[in-house]
Amino acid sequence: NEAGSGYDPSPANMYKNREIRFDADITYYGKTFKGALYGLAYPDGYLVNSKRVSTGYPVRKYLDESVSMSDPSPLFAWIRLADIYLIYAEAQYELGHEDEARTYINKIRERALLPDITSSGEDLFKDLQHERRIELFFEDDKRFMDVRRWMIADVTGSKPDKGIILEK
C-alpha cells in the first residue's frame, strides 16, 4: 500500500482504508455476500476447514449478488478492457512510448479512483507490473504468464503466485 493511505495492517483494521478493488474483488471475514455475513477466513489469512482457498480470501470477482448461484448460464469475460489497456501499455513501454503507456495505465487507475502515475523508466515498468498484478489477479493464468514473460520467478518464488502477497 502507498504511504499515507491510512491502511493499518492490524487484525482489527486490516480491511479498512483498502483500495476499492480489494473490496470489490475479494470476500473476507465480516463482509456480507447475498445478505449473509461471511465468516470462514481468519485474520491470519488461512482457512482451517477448507482446502479450496489457499489464501483465505475467496474471490468475489465476477460475482453478481443478484444472480442465482444455481443459474446454469453464467456470463464469463473472455478478455476485459482492463487487460487490453495493460497489454497495450506494456507494448508502448517496450517501444519507448512512455507517455502512451502512462495514459493507458492511468485509465485503469482512474476507474479505481486512484491518482495518476507520473513515473518513467524502470519505475514506470514497475508501476505497470503492479497494476497487472492487482487488476488481473486470479484471472486465468495471466500472472503466471506475466512472471514468465518478465523472467521474475526468482523474485516471486519457485512458483508464480496468483497476485496475493502473504506475509508471515
Side-chain angles (χ1 to χ4, degrees):
N1 287 310
E2 297 176 25
S5 70
Y7 171 66
D8 175 2
S10 69
N13 296 309
M14 64 192 291
Y15 303 123
K16 297 178 183 173
N17 298 317
R18 300 298 293 261
E19 189 182 302
I20 65 169
R21 292 181 284 193
F22 179 86
D23 198 52
D25 294 343
I26 296 175
T27 299
Y28 51 84
Y29 181 79
K31 183 162 179 147
T32 59
F33 182 75
K34 289 190 155 290
L37 188 64
Y38 182 80
L40 293 176
Y42 292 91
D44 67 356
Y46 291 93
L47 293 174
V48 293
N49 61 353
S50 174
K51 294 182 180 180
R52 295 182 314 135
V53 184
S54 62
T55 63
Y57 294 105
V59 178
R60 178 188 176 98
K61 194 174 214 174
Y62 301 127
L63 298 180
D64 181 349
E65 292 188 58
S66 68
V67 175
S68 169
M69 297 302 272
S70 62
D71 185 350
S73 59
L75 297 175
F76 181 77
W78 289 101
I79 189 164
R80 294 190 312 119
L81 185 59
D83 191 15
I84 294 169
Y85 282 174
L86 291 169
I87 290 168
Y88 182 73
E90 186 174 347
Q92 292 304 310
Y93 173 83
E94 293 296 339
L95 290 170
H97 306 152
E98 290 189 2
D99 287 341
E100 186 78 351
R102 246 186 320 278
T103 295
Y104 279 83
I105 295 169
N106 286 332
K107 285 178 184 275
I108 303 302
R109 292 180 60 82
E110 287 167 14
R111 196 189 94 234
L113 306 177
L114 296 169
D116 286 354
I117 59 165
T118 58
S119 55
S120 61
E122 191 174 316
D123 289 337
L124 175 59
F125 189 67
K126 287 181 181 181
D127 285 341
L128 171 71
Q129 288 176 315
H130 175 77
E131 286 305 313
R132 283 193 65 82
R133 182 176 189 171
I134 300 299
E135 184 66 32
L136 304 174
F137 93 102
F138 279 116
E139 289 189 23
D140 300 326
D141 290 325
K142 288 183 180 15
R143 178 69 179 164
F144 177 81
M145 298 309 290
D146 288 347
V147 168
R148 283 191 60 153
R149 183 173 65 257
W150 300 327
M151 294 187 274
I152 59 170
D154 58 327
V155 176
T156 63
S158 60
K159 293 188 276 185
D161 59 47
K162 292 287 188 177
I164 302 232
I165 300 170
L166 295 177
E167 296 181 50
K168 280 277 186 191

